[in-house]
Amino acid sequence: MTGRIDGKALIRAIEKMATLTDQSAPPFTRRAFTETYLRGREWLKSHFETSGLDVKLDAAANLIGRMEGLDRDRPPIMIGSHTDTVTGGGRYDGILGVLTGAAVASYLHRSGQSLRFPLEVVDFLSEEVSDYGAVSCVGSRAIVGTLSQEMLLRNNPNGETLKDAIKRMGGNPDLLNAPLKKRGDIAAYMELHIEQGPVLDTAGIPIGVVSGIVAIRRVKITVRGQANHAGTTPMKARNDALVGASQMISLVHDLALDWQGSFPLVATVGRIEIFPNSPNVIPGLCIMDLEVRSISEEEIDTFLDQVEKAASDTSAKCHVSVSFETASDAYPALCSENIIATIKEACSNLGYEYLEMPSGAGHDAMHVASIAPIGMIFVPSVKGLSHCSEEFTKEEHIIAGAEVLLESLLLLNEKLDVSYAKLLK
């Protein structure tokens, strides 16, 4: 049975959220902790309420809409994602998952249908890499207790700590010295998301059923040379940190390109700071952020070992020093076999073709997986574009994903009732 989701209202909500963008940055930019983000949160709170949800902020400033079930004492089935973006990010990444969650709640509200379990729709705080020492998934880390005190004390470029920023968003960071949820507090978690890659679009398949989420490790690479006058220092007498950094970037790229491990691996140097960053001064210091992703932590370990060993050659050749420091580490997360089967059953019930596939991108779901069974639904990204203003998903795929999410929720509500203990394993 299709047509239960109000597709026109869902598309209008996505279009409205797209207008809540930082006018001084490329479209569509809504960075966590900004005034633009707060305006988006204000609109989203109202939208949640219109969808039949009671809304609150938790201690981590996650925005949570709740609909009670027939049994208020049961843990909720949670649907979530995020509404913050990267700079110049798209209209769908994260936003789609939150708004389809609201659309599912709206259907239940309009139809007068009650689940056995409570339903919670969550907009997690700052899923994207933040300006606070490159911490990502702030809200979902706090839920499960992996937002460390060290992370809370990291600064943004203006000197504000993450702890103070969470407080400014309406949270209570003094309560984040322990997990906000423990195993058993969430019956199941589902997240609908754009694929952010080309697989579904290329294959012409409307739904991806996610099998697992890759591990993500971010490493700060520091290259130290000697700042000096660019006009008076002979080429052979230079200790140019930027030259060393450029060779490290090429090294990372080449090692990842030629990777022959048991599992696919990707590596990216996506940010670099240069000091003193002046045209007439030889760079004396470069700080880079390296990100490595694979479903296998062992493969990431092996890759980084190779990078560090090869860095000694760069150090000697360029007369610089190279050091490495782990900035963050997100473990791989496998989706629940029972929820995977439920999503596939929902696709079959609705007549949608699907493809089972891993996620190469990180999501809040990978943190929730440490305390609850998770499942994810992908919909196609046209040309595989994401984290850019050209990011686009067709309306028919948005509505198909929302229908599958709703059908999966209804099926899961029944299955959890009879096999709850099994699903929690």
Side-chain angles (χ1 to χ4, degrees):
M1 177 180 179
T2 59
R4 294 175 293 193
I5 293 292
D6 187 340
K8 291 183 179 179
L10 175 55
I11 298 304
R12 285 198 302 271
I14 293 169
E15 291 173 347
K16 173 61 180 179
M17 185 62 83
T19 68
L20 300 169
T21 182
D22 185 346
Q23 299 300 319
S24 65
F28 300 86
T29 300
R30 189 170 44 259
R31 297 289 290 150
F33 305 106
T34 64
E35 289 301 315
T36 302
Y37 182 72
L38 283 172
R39 288 198 300 273
R41 276 282 182 87
E42 289 173 6
W43 176 84
L44 185 62
K45 179 178 183 293
S46 176
H47 184 65
F48 273 7
E49 291 170 342
T50 302
S51 302
L53 297 164
D54 295 323
V55 185
K56 70 172 184 178
L57 280 174
D58 70 7
N62 295 312
L63 187 72
I64 303 173
R66 182 179 173 98
M67 180 177 289
E68 293 297 344
L70 295 174
D71 187 344
R72 290 171 174 256
D73 293 331
R74 298 183 187 214
I77 298 173
M78 184 180 285
I79 295 172
S81 200
H82 62 99
T83 57
D84 65 306
T85 73
V86 298
T87 300
R91 291 173 286 171
Y92 306 94
D93 174 8
I95 292 96
L96 182 60
V98 175
L99 296 181
T100 52
V104 164
S106 180
Y107 164 75
L108 296 173
H109 180 60
R110 288 184 286 107
S111 66
Q113 186 170 346
S114 296
L115 303 176
R116 290 183 171 89
F117 289 77
L119 171 66
E120 288 188 349
V121 181
V122 184
D123 173 25
F124 288 108
L125 177 69
S126 189
E127 189 266 2
E128 302 292 0
V129 177
S130 73
D131 298 326
Y132 298 82
V135 180
S136 61
C137 296
V138 171
S140 51
R141 286 179 186 271
I143 287 278
V144 303
T146 57
L147 186 66
S148 69
Q149 293 300 303
E150 182 274 327
M151 290 177 177
L152 285 170
L153 294 177
R154 293 186 189 182
N155 296 322
N156 72 357
N158 296 322
E160 183 184 45
T161 65
L162 178 56
K163 181 178 181 178
D164 288 340
I166 291 172
K167 186 175 182 179
R168 183 165 52 81
M169 291 295 103
N172 185 352
D174 292 335
L175 299 179
L176 300 182
N177 55 0
L180 298 180
K181 301 282 187 183
K182 62 181 183 301
R183 181 168 290 276
D185 288 345
I186 300 171
Y189 175 85
M190 288 192 294
E191 183 168 347
L192 185 145
H193 209 281
I194 59 170
E195 181 197 341
Q196 301 181 275
V199 175
L200 293 175
D201 186 53
T202 300
I205 296 174
I207 300 293
V209 181
V210 178
S211 56
I213 304 168
V214 297
I216 303 175
R217 191 173 307 171
R218 296 191 178 105
V219 177
K220 182 172 77 172
I221 302 177
T222 301
V223 182
R224 297 184 183 276
Q226 176 60 60
N228 211 338
H229 197 293
T232 62
T233 308
M235 296 302 294
K236 290 185 178 181
R238 298 183 176 212
N239 308 98
D240 192 324
L242 182 56
V243 172
S246 68
Q247 296 202 15
M248 286 300 304
I249 293 170
S250 295
L251 169 66
V252 165
H253 176 79
D254 291 344
L255 285 174
L257 190 65
D258 296 334
W259 187 249
Q260 299 293 321
S262 302
F263 300 93
L265 179 144
V266 294
T268 307
V269 175
R271 190 177 74 90
I272 183 169
E273 295 179 277
I274 305 167
F275 301 93
N277 200 26
S278 175
N280 63 341
V281 181
I282 297 166
L285 175 67
C286 289
I287 300 173
M288 303 179 288
D289 288 333
L290 165 64
E291 181 185 88
V292 188
R293 303 185 184 215
S294 174
I295 201 71
S296 166
E297 286 187 276
E298 291 75 14
E299 302 261 318
I300 293 176
D301 289 338
T302 301
F303 176 81
L304 288 173
D305 284 345
Q306 292 183 10
V307 171
E308 292 196 33
K309 288 177 181 177
S312 60
D313 291 337
T314 299
S315 298
K317 181 179 179 180
C318 300
H319 308 291
V320 297
S321 67
V322 182
S323 62
F324 300 82
E325 179 185 353
T326 299
S328 65
D329 200 355
Y331 303 113
L334 297 179
C335 293
S336 160
E337 292 183 6
N338 293 300
I339 300 181
I340 289 173
T342 299
I343 297 171
K344 289 179 178 179
E345 182 181 349
C347 290
S348 298
N349 290 351
L350 299 172
Y352 291 120
E353 187 180 3
Y354 63 84
L355 174 68
E356 185 171 342
M357 60 189 299
S359 172
H363 305 282
D364 290 303
M366 65 190 182
H367 296 285
V368 181
S370 67
I371 64 166
I374 67 164
M376 287 197 70
I377 301 164
F378 276 171
V379 290
S381 298
V382 173
K383 297 182 180 179
L385 295 174
S386 184
H387 279 192
C388 60
S389 58
E390 295 83 6
E391 176 184 277
F392 186 71
T393 294
K394 296 176 181 178
E395 288 187 13
E396 61 263 33
H397 291 151
I398 290 172
I399 296 169
E403 292 284 357
V404 170
L405 179 64
L406 172 59
E407 179 71 4
S408 299
L409 174 67
L410 297 175
L411 290 171
L412 197 58
N413 180 61
E414 299 295 330
K415 291 183 177 185
L416 279 169
D417 195 46
V418 298
S419 59
Y420 180 59
K422 181 180 178 182
L423 272 168
L424 278 180
K425 290 182 180 179

